[in-house]
């Protein structure tokens, strides 16, 4: 039986109202044209002069992305590394994400990953594991490109995933998709949300696997996530989030030497979070308790288990006209073990309160000025305590123009990796004890930016920034020091600029172009290409929807920054790749249903993120999506 999905009268009225008087010419609501922005959803600046880039589920779909690295591969300021079509081998060059040259240290990392505000990463080695970050069931990904103390602490940058929630009206809706293609790649995703009165729920499940473009380039992703929410009264609500993921990836080895060929890296992670939130006229906030645990196991090699728990408290107050106060408290406890070598980690605990204040001044003729300042304190149960600050100002003329400036200080503590490395050097008592004398790594961040919307459908963003990393910790050896020990040595700078241009052309076309330039005082800084250019275009007409994206990236050094002071000497050449996705809507499959085809690397270019690890050539996928 043929099923026709139509907008409800209320939803149609809202759409018509928002679309202006010409919208009354639309007589068939199912033909309403909505073309999503290309590549990224938006850049945005908050009242604290914080800047972030957002990629929503719609861009993820248009990019035909199965995992987090694929979803962020075109985001300005972001670099990725990988060597499998599906799955990430560990937390280093086999599958990782870097922000403006940050996140390259191994072990350890300068950036962290979050789900619903909860830190979710490999706590033992103190760096992200991308396979723990499923895309299905997520409404958006926010990329925080620098220290923003009112958002996250104990990191220089962040990648934050936000799960979908049910719509405000009663009912159940969802999507089911299946795709298959080159290299034996298959993927299926189920995403359901529902509401009944004061209760709501969401469920998401995903599976993806591939045989790989080379022998032993296999990967497999499994994940499931559920939420249950209850609106207690007009102001208070409670929500429970649970997620589990289990994955595996195989190292295809160096194409010439076959080094590491056939090694596997398995990951497993569980997350549980309980959130109580309130919404009042001049105060909004939440209190979250969380627990995560899991492991990463390299075969043959180490099995590292992590367990983190803690709380997140946030309050957003508007105590006077034009004023805003953000305050909160983070408490994180990190533990785990590396059973293979008999290591049981001591619990590390970081307690971090913060406060940030801003005030919007009306200057006349539509102009406003919003200065802000913030402070975050870090109390560590083993390492030295620290403080960090930020200050900023936003000068805006309505929605047309916004100028911003921010200076901030980032703090990133060593993780349990320093304790593991000390344990592995049991014959060296100096190294075993020296990690407890460490403090935090620091980042001085300065950024100027502007957002200009000269015409309807046009948005231009420009940023110039300077990041100075100080007190990076390494293992030093004589004669630099009297005995092998952990020390804070040296610093380096990354200066750069970003320019993006998003444009709507009528109702059918959306296009995007972005350019990032990085210049590091550390000549061999890995995964920090001097120039990156991204472009994308979305076109929708009738039942057809077409999305194309492309990237050019200059040559770059690769492999992680060693904590033992050794320089990087491995490079990969510049490359240009382009992808295409075409979808055709079928009413029988629901309002969002379609059949689609996607071509990765459609010009069959040769490129790599690691020397000796060529990425796939041209690859095809076919799929179908149904909605209800």
């Amino acid at each position: 039986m043929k099923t026709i999905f139509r907008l409800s009268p209320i939803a149609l009225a809202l759409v018509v109202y928002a679309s202006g008087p010409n919208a009354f010419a639309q007589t068939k609501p199912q033909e309403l044209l909505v073309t999503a922005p290309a590549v990224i959803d938006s850049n945005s600046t908050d009242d604290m002069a914080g800047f972030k880039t957002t990629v929503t589920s719609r861009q993820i779909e248009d990019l035909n992305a199965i995992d987090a690295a694929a979803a962020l591969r075109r985001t300005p300021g972001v670099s990725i590394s990988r060597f499998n079509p599906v799955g990430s081998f560990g937390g280093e060059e086999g599958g990782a994400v870097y922000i403006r040259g940050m996140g390259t240290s191994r072990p350890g990392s300068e950036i962290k990953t979050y789900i619903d505000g909860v830190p979710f990463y490999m706590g033992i080695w103190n760096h992200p594991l991308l396979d723990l970050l499923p895309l299905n069931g997520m409404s958006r990904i926010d990329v925080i490109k620098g220290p923003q103390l009112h958002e996250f602490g104990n990191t220089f940058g962040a990648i934050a995933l936000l799960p979908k929630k049910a719509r405000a009206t009663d009912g159940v809706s969802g999507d089911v998709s299946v795709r298959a293609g080159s290299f034996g790649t298959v993927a299926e995703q189920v995403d359901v949300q529902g509401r009944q009165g004061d209760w709501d729920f969401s469920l998401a499940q995903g599976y993806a696997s591939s045989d790989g473009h080379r022998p032993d380039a296999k990967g497999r992703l499994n994940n499931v996530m559920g939420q249950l929410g209850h609106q207690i009264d007009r102001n208070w609500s409670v929500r429970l989030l649970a997620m589990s993921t289990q994955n595996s990836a195989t190292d295809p080895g160096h194409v010439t030497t076959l080094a590491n060929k056939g090694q596997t890296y398995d990951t497993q992670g569980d997350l549980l979070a309980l959130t109580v939130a309130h919404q009042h006229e001049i105060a909004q906030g939440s209190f979250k308790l969380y627990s995560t645990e899991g492991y990463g196991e390299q075969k043959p090699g180490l099995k590292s288990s992590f367990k983190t728990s803690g709380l997140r408290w946030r309050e957003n107050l508007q105590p006077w006209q034009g004023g805003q106060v953000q305050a909160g408290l983070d408490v994180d406890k990190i533990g785990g073990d590396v059973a293979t070598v008999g290591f049981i980690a001591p619990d590390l605990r970081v307690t971090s309160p913060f406060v940030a204040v801003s005030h919007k001044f009306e200057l006349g003729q539509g102009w406003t000025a919003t200065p802000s300042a913030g402070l975050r304190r870090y109390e560590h149960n083993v390492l030295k305590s620290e403080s960090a600050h930020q200050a900023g100002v936003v000068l805006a003329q309505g929605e047309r123009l916004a100028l911003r400036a921010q200076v901030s200080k980032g703090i990133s503590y060593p993780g349990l990796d320093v304790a593991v490395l000390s344990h592995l050097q049991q014959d060296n008592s100096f190294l075993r004890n020296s990690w407890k004398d460490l403090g935090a790594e620091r980042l001085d961040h300065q950024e100027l930016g502007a957002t200009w919307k000269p015409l309807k459908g046009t948005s231009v963003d420009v940023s110039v920034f300077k990041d100075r990393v100080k007190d990076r910790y390494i293992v030093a050896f004589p004669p630099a020091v009297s005995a092998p020990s952990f020390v804070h040595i040296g610093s380096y700078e990354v200066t750069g600029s970003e320019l993006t241009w998003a444009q709507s052309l009528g109702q059918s076309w959306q296009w995007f172009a972005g350019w990032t330039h990085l210049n590091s005082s550390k000549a061999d800084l890995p995964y920090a290409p001097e120039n990156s250019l991204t472009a994308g275009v979305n076109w929708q007409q009738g039942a057809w929807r077409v999305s194309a994206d492309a990237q050019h990236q200059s040559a770059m050094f690769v492999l992680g920054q060693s904590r033992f002071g050794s320089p990087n000497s491995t490079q990969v050449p510049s490359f240009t790749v382009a992808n295409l996705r075409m979808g055709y809507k079928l009413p029988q499959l629901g309002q969002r249903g379609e059949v689609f085809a996607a071509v990765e690397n459609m010009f069959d270019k040769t490129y790599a993120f690691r020397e000796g690890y060529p990425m796939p050539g041209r690859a095809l996928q076919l799929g179908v999506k149904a909605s209800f």
Side-chain angles (χ1 to χ4, degrees):
M1 182 178 69
K2 184 177 180 179
T3 304
I4 300 177
F5 288 77
R6 295 181 181 269
L7 293 171
S8 70
I10 294 176
L12 178 58
L14 290 173
V15 170
V16 170
Y17 176 78
S19 302
N22 292 335
F24 286 99
Q26 302 280 352
T27 59
K28 295 181 180 181
Q30 67 269 28
E31 295 179 358
L32 184 68
L33 186 66
V34 180
T35 307
V39 180
I40 68 169
D41 180 76
S42 62
N43 294 313
S44 58
T45 303
D46 62 25
D47 286 344
M48 303 296 172
F51 185 69
K52 68 181 177 184
T53 299
T54 297
V55 177
T56 70
S57 57
R58 190 63 182 270
Q59 283 80 45
I60 292 171
E61 184 175 79
D62 289 341
L63 291 168
N64 197 47
I66 292 177
D67 56 23
L72 296 170
R73 65 192 174 192
R74 302 291 185 258
T75 304
V78 174
S79 300
I80 72 165
S81 63
R82 68 181 315 161
F83 43 65
N84 290 14
V86 171
S88 299
F89 191 89
E92 198 176 337
E93 62 272 6
V97 171
Y98 315 95
I99 303 173
R100 294 176 174 175
M102 304 299 165
T104 61
S105 295
R106 290 297 184 272
S109 176
E110 298 89 0
I111 64 173
K112 285 188 171 61
T113 51
Y114 301 81
I115 292 180
D116 197 32
V118 171
F120 199 36
Y121 65 104
M122 168 49 76
I124 284 288
W125 295 103
N126 200 30
H127 59 230
L129 290 178
L130 292 189
D131 285 351
L132 298 183
L133 308 175
L135 295 181
N136 52 299
M138 299 298 171
S139 64
R140 71 174 195 255
I141 306 174
D142 290 333
V143 181
I144 310 296
K145 302 175 183 179
Q148 295 184 21
L149 307 184
H150 60 295
E151 293 277 4
F152 300 104
N154 195 23
T155 184
F156 293 167
I159 295 171
L161 285 70
L162 186 69
K164 293 179 180 177
K165 296 179 182 177
R167 292 179 292 185
T169 56
D170 285 359
V172 178
S173 62
D175 300 295
V176 180
S177 67
V178 180
R179 72 189 88 170
S182 303
F183 320 125
T185 300
V186 297
E188 60 86 11
Q189 295 180 342
V190 179
D191 186 3
V192 181
Q193 299 91 38
R195 182 181 297 276
Q196 182 62 51
D198 294 331
W199 291 89
D200 69 87
F201 76 92
S202 65
L203 294 171
Q205 177 272 329
Y207 171 82
S209 68
S210 177
D211 294 333
H213 60 299
R214 299 170 55 199
D216 291 317
K218 298 180 291 184
R220 185 188 71 252
L221 306 175
N222 278 291
N223 52 79
V224 62
M225 179 175 65
Q227 291 186 92
L228 180 63
H230 178 59
Q231 190 71 36
I232 300 172
D233 59 23
R234 178 181 176 182
N235 303 116
W236 291 88
S237 63
V238 61
R239 182 170 302 277
L240 180 67
L241 168 67
M243 190 186 78
S244 182
T245 178
Q246 192 165 15
N247 320 284
S248 181
T250 305
D251 188 338
H254 191 281
V255 70
T256 303
T257 67
L258 303 182
N260 303 322
K261 178 178 172 61
Q263 293 185 3
T264 62
Y265 195 89
D266 297 340
T267 56
Q268 186 269 330
D270 299 316
L271 182 152
L272 187 67
L274 176 66
T275 304
V276 178
H278 71 92
Q279 292 279 338
H280 291 83
E281 184 176 352
I282 62 169
Q284 308 82 40
S286 64
F287 183 84
K288 188 189 304 287
L289 295 173
Y290 78 88
S291 176
T292 72
E293 61 181 31
Y295 67 82
E297 182 177 12
Q298 186 169 342
K299 300 177 181 177
L302 301 177
K303 180 177 181 179
S304 305
S305 301
F306 66 89
K307 185 172 184 178
T308 62
S309 60
L311 64 86
R312 291 288 188 274
W313 173 44
R314 296 287 185 272
E315 291 294 333
N316 190 3
L317 311 173
Q318 300 84 43
W320 65 86
Q321 183 68 32
Q324 183 174 201
V325 178
Q326 296 185 36
L329 173 69
D330 297 344
V331 179
D332 300 305
K333 186 174 75 170
I334 307 104
D337 64 71
V338 185
T340 318
V341 295
F343 173 78
I344 299 177
D347 285 339
L348 300 184
R349 185 177 64 256
V350 183
T351 302
S352 180
F354 71 91
V355 63
V357 182
S358 68
H359 181 82
K360 181 174 292 186
F361 294 93
E362 300 290 341
L363 303 180
Q365 298 184 338
W367 285 91
T368 62
T370 309
S372 61
L375 177 68
R376 184 182 278 263
R377 177 66 177 172
Y378 298 88
E379 297 288 342
H380 200 290
N381 68 323
V382 177
L383 307 182
K384 298 176 182 177
S385 297
E386 303 280 355
S387 295
H389 58 268
Q390 69 179 36
V393 62
V394 179
L395 185 64
Q397 185 185 45
E399 298 294 325
R400 182 175 178 270
L401 177 65
L403 309 174
R404 57 186 170 84
Q406 188 187 61
V407 293
S408 58
K409 180 179 179 180
I411 293 293
S412 180
Y413 274 105
L416 288 167
D417 52 297
V418 292
V420 177
L421 293 178
S422 297
H423 177 84
L424 294 175
Q425 299 289 328
Q426 295 189 36
D427 59 339
N428 193 326
S429 59
F430 294 98
L431 186 58
R432 290 185 67 186
N433 295 324
S434 64
W435 71 272
K436 295 182 180 180
D437 296 325
L438 290 172
E441 296 182 315
R442 297 174 175 85
L443 172 66
D444 291 333
H445 174 74
Q446 303 170 34
E447 184 160 354
L448 297 173
T451 299
W452 183 40
K453 299 179 180 179
L455 302 170
K456 182 179 179 180
T458 302
S459 182
V460 179
D461 280 287
V462 61
S463 299
V464 292
F465 54 88
K466 180 178 180 180
D467 291 326
R468 185 185 182 199
V469 176
K470 300 185 295 184
D471 298 329
R472 185 172 181 268
Y473 67 91
I474 67 169
V475 178
F477 297 92
V481 291
S482 60
S485 57
F486 284 101
V487 294
H488 293 287
I489 289 183
S491 64
Y492 64 92
E493 293 182 357
V494 178
T495 58
S497 55
E498 287 181 9
L499 175 65
T500 66
W501 186 358
Q503 182 71 54
S504 299
L505 299 175
Q507 292 183 310
S508 299
W509 293 88
Q510 294 272 354
W511 71 270
F512 174 87
W515 169 68
T516 302
H517 173 76
L518 299 177
N519 179 29
S520 173
S521 64
K522 181 177 169 57
D524 61 345
L525 184 68
Y527 301 106
E530 183 177 2
N531 290 290
S532 298
L533 294 94
T534 61
V537 59
N538 287 355
W539 172 78
Q540 184 168 322
Q541 186 68 50
W544 287 98
R545 185 167 114 236
V546 178
S547 302
D549 64 84
Q551 178 185 25
H552 172 79
Q553 187 168 291
S554 58
M556 64 180 177
F557 285 90
V558 295
L559 307 183
Q561 285 193 86
S562 171
R563 293 290 185 185
F564 293 89
S566 56
N568 286 71
S569 59
T570 304
Q571 287 183 287
V572 294
S574 62
F575 62 83
T576 303
V577 292
N579 305 318
L580 178 69
R581 185 187 187 276
M582 298 178 292
Y584 186 82
K585 296 180 66 173
L586 293 177
Q588 297 88 343
L589 296 176
Q591 189 178 28
R592 298 177 301 279
E594 64 174 355
V595 293
F596 62 89
V599 183
E600 300 268 344
N601 192 5
M602 61 180 175
F603 298 116
D604 200 27
K605 296 294 184 178
T606 299
Y607 73 105
F609 297 107
R610 179 180 179 180
E611 188 274 328
Y613 282 75
M615 289 296 293
R618 186 184 297 113
L620 174 67
Q621 290 183 11
L622 302 175
V624 59
K625 176 182 176 181
S627 68
F628 57 90

